[in-house]
């Protein structure tokens, strides 16, 4: 297979400012790059050079597949497809640049600037001389092109190293921080749009994920469960393997339904979900927080007072990365990361069946606690049985 680019140069930003941790971050990033490139079925040599990661193709590859994998790596801010310049003389660089522009820019009516980095200090010309020589060669070859040193439309990068690289395209990466640099958290994953996006946002800051889904058979179907598994699979293409806990929540829901006021069902259910999630997180010894997809005011159970009441049930930190997002922003993000097509499927999750017509929007903590008292004789037992029902699976 013939590929136009011999390599991909990956740029990262935030890592640069992390002082002593820099080494840890770069190691973690390099590891992720290798994992993702392995999924492309092509062979690459990955190495770190001066604050970038350089991936050289050793075999043919599928360009779209490689780019799609590289865009999933947290910590990468830019992906540059690179051409090698085989003849390292200045004449060779000029010829390569002319060919490069010829092939990549059919319409030559644009402004440009050449930007040379001279990492190889033994190169016989200075970077400014190379800029000038290559710029002149391009203007000679393509008179429609114009130089603009301040705001060029196209920046042609030349890097003088043991090899010489030529590139102009910088594809936006996922940003964030490399996986494995910030521990692990437990995502409460339901079938909707919100929680997968919430998991993505937290993981993007370098956090590995476990997940928990509460299902309520026979009120919720196997298809609803499969939907959550499918969502976890899409997420795992960014976050790495996810341990998904599936908890049978039916008995708890029924007990709440029988004993508690119906307008408080949702909020009490949410408190039980949090308690069980906290127990799973503590049991794993690694998860240092819970993650949910709530945003202020989106539904009755997400008013500030509801969130206050929900949080009171647990002492582990609860992270809500979508707290200030509008629904449309969340859906847009879900589309971008590829979970929207699954989230849109109409299978009920456990909460839609037991929802009251008029749920409380301003639950008073003491009122909710009084209602929960009605479950006090069975509460511990219910939680233990739910935990024992855990069907855990590793998704990747
Ligand atoms: P989503 O789009 O994630 O389903 P939602 O808008 O439906 O969220 P709620 O049903 O109020 O909102 O749930 C709020 C959050 O609680 C969800 O984002 C999710 O983190 C968690 N959650 C709700 N139901 C479940 C469930 N059955 N299993 C696991 N987590 C759940
Ligand atoms: Mg939901």
């Amino acid at each position: 297979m013939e590929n136009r680019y011999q390599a991909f140069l990956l740029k990262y930003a935030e890592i640069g400012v992390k002082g002593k941790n820099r080494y840890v971050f770069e190691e973690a990033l390099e590891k992720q790059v290798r994992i993702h490139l392995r999924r492309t079925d092509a062979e690459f040599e990955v190495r770190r050079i001066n604050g970038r990661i350089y991936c050289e193709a050793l075999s043919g590859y599928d360009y779209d597949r490689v780019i799609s994998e590289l865009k999933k790596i947290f910590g990468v801010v830019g992906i540059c497809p690179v051409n090698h310049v085989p003849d390292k003389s200045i004449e060779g660089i000029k010829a390569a640049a002319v060919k490069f522009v010829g092939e990549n820019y059919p319409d030559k009516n644009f402004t440009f600037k050449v930007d040379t980095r001279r990492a190889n200090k033994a190169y016989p010309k200075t970077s400014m001389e190379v800029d000038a020589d290559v710029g002149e060669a391009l203007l000679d070859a393509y008179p429609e092109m114009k130089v603009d040193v301040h705001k060029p439309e196209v920046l042609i990068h030349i890097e003088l190293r043991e090899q010489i690289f030529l590139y102009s395209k910088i594809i936006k990466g996922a940003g964030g921080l490399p996986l494995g640099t910030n521990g692990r958290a437990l995502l409460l994953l339901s079938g909707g749009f919100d929680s997968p996006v919430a998991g993505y946002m937290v993981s993007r800051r370098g956090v590995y994920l476990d997940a928990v889904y509460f299902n309520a058979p026979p009120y919720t179907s196997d298809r609803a469960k499969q939907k959550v598994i499918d969502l976890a699979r899409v997420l795992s293409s960014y976050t790495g393997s996810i341990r998904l806990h599936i908890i049978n929540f039916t008995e708890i829901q029924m007990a709440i339904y029988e004993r508690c006021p119906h307008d408080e069902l949702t909020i009490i259910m949410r408190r039980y979900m949090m308690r069980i999630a906290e127990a799973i997180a503590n049991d794993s010894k690694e998860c240092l927080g819970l993650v949910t997809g709530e945003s202020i005011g989106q539904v009755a159970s997400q008013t500030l007072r509801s969130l206050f009441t929900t949080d009171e049930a647990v002492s582990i930190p609860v992270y809500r990365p979508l707290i200030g997002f509008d629904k449309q922003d969340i859906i847009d993000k879900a589309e971008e990361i590829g979970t929207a097509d699954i989230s849109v499927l109409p299978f009920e999750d456990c909460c839609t069946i037991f929802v009251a017509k008029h749920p409380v929007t301003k639950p008073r903590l003491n009122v909710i606690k009084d209602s929960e008292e009605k479950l006090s004789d069975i509460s511990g037992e219910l939680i233990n049985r739910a935990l024992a029902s855990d069907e855990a699976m590793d998704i990747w």
Side-chain angles (χ1 to χ4, degrees):
M1 196 204 277
E2 220 234 308
N3 286 113
R4 193 149 70 177
Y5 304 106
Q6 287 90 43
F8 297 88
L9 195 60
L10 307 182
K11 299 189 172 185
Y12 44 88
E14 268 183 80
I15 294 170
V17 301
K18 295 282 174 184
K20 274 189 294 192
N21 282 334
R22 185 184 174 115
Y23 180 75
V24 175
F25 281 71
E26 289 183 326
E27 283 274 289
L29 184 59
E30 189 182 331
K31 178 176 161 194
Q32 292 303 320
V33 171
R34 289 180 196 281
I35 290 173
H36 281 270
L37 285 175
R38 227 173 281 139
R39 294 187 194 150
T40 67
D41 289 334
E43 229 182 302
F44 285 88
E45 185 188 291
V46 176
R47 56 180 198 274
R48 266 180 273 159
I49 47 168
N50 307 54
R52 281 102 184 278
I53 288 180
Y54 183 68
C55 316
E56 183 170 353
L58 302 180
S59 69
Y61 61 85
D62 178 335
Y63 177 82
D64 292 337
R65 220 168 137 190
V66 169
I67 294 296
S68 136
E69 278 302 331
L70 294 175
K71 280 166 101 172
K72 290 184 168 171
I73 304 173
F74 297 140
V76 171
V77 295
I79 304 159
C80 314
V82 166
N83 281 107
H84 286 170
V85 179
D87 171 357
K88 296 182 192 172
S89 70
I90 188 67
E91 289 311 314
I93 299 176
K94 280 157 64 174
V98 167
K99 181 162 176 272
F100 177 84
V101 169
E103 284 175 2
N104 289 285
Y105 298 92
D107 175 7
K108 308 287 185 295
N109 216 328
F110 58 82
T111 60
F112 78 103
K113 175 184 162 182
V114 181
D115 183 31
T116 304
R117 269 174 74 145
R118 186 163 163 271
N120 171 9
K121 299 297 176 206
Y123 197 80
K125 287 202 171 238
T126 66
S127 54
M128 270 162 64
E129 286 167 341
V130 177
D131 288 347
D133 287 0
V134 173
E136 204 178 285
L138 287 170
L139 290 171
D140 282 348
Y142 311 115
E144 313 93 289
M145 286 172 68
K146 283 188 197 64
V147 173
D148 181 344
V149 291
H150 301 294
K151 278 196 156 187
E153 287 162 306
V154 176
L155 198 53
I156 295 171
H157 298 268
I158 297 171
E159 297 202 1
L160 308 172
R161 302 179 179 276
E162 330 76 271
Q163 282 169 315
I164 294 180
F165 308 155
L166 185 60
Y167 64 93
S168 65
K169 198 165 22 171
I170 303 183
I171 299 161
K172 201 168 182 295
L177 298 171
L179 278 178
T181 56
N182 248 311
R184 185 178 291 272
L186 179 66
L187 170 66
L188 281 79
L189 180 60
S190 58
F193 282 98
D194 308 330
S195 44
V197 175
Y200 174 92
M201 301 285 292
V202 166
S203 186
R204 184 173 168 275
R205 299 303 300 175
V207 179
Y208 281 121
L209 293 181
D210 285 354
V212 55
Y213 167 60
F214 298 94
N215 75 343
Y219 301 99
T220 60
S221 64
D222 271 352
R223 290 196 303 177
K225 175 165 122 182
Q226 188 57 46
K227 182 180 169 185
V228 172
I229 294 172
D230 292 344
L231 283 170
R233 187 158 294 123
V234 174
L235 260 187
S236 74
S237 70
Y238 301 90
T239 66
S241 166
I242 294 176
R243 170 141 276 235
L244 173 63
H245 301 268
I246 299 182
I247 299 288
N248 187 324
F249 202 59
T250 313
E251 209 187 356
I252 292 181
Q253 276 193 327
M254 297 310 285
I256 300 171
Y257 193 74
E258 276 157 23
R259 298 193 186 187
C260 302
H262 286 187
D263 60 347
E264 295 169 8
L265 288 181
T266 310
I267 195 81
I268 294 175
M269 251 166 40
R270 310 267 322 121
R271 283 166 59 88
Y272 272 90
M273 283 184 186
M274 300 304 261
R275 291 184 181 114
I276 293 169
E278 182 178 44
I280 294 172
N282 289 341
D283 190 48
S284 86
K285 294 193 180 57
E286 272 187 88
C287 292
L288 299 179
L290 305 181
V291 181
T292 73
E294 290 151 315
S295 99
I296 295 173
Q298 196 190 81
V299 289
S301 60
Q302 298 179 19
T303 63
L304 266 198
R305 191 164 283 287
S306 296
L307 296 174
F308 173 86
T309 311
T310 308
D311 267 16
E312 196 274 344
V314 291
S315 55
I316 190 172
V318 181
Y319 297 107
R320 298 184 168 93
L322 307 184
I323 200 70
F325 278 46
D326 293 341
K327 190 73 186 185
Q328 191 57 48
D329 301 335
I330 297 169
I331 294 175
D332 291 349
K333 194 75 197 171
E335 267 157 15
E336 185 192 315
I337 68 173
T339 51
D341 289 348
I342 304 171
S343 291
V344 77
L345 299 172
F347 312 131
E348 74 294 351
D349 73 27
C350 71
C351 306
T352 51
I353 288 181
F354 289 89
V355 282
K357 281 205 192 69
H358 301 289
V360 282
T361 54
K362 295 193 174 114
R364 290 276 154 192
L365 185 56
N366 56 339
V367 175
I368 298 296
K369 281 182 154 174
D370 282 349
S371 302
E372 282 183 349
E373 270 303 305
K374 304 193 173 89
L375 296 164
S376 60
D377 56 324
I378 51 169
S379 189
E381 177 76 1
L382 285 173
I383 289 177
N384 285 339
R385 273 211 293 275
L387 285 167
S389 75
D390 188 358
E391 232 182 281
M393 53 181 89
D394 291 314
I395 310 267
W396 70 86

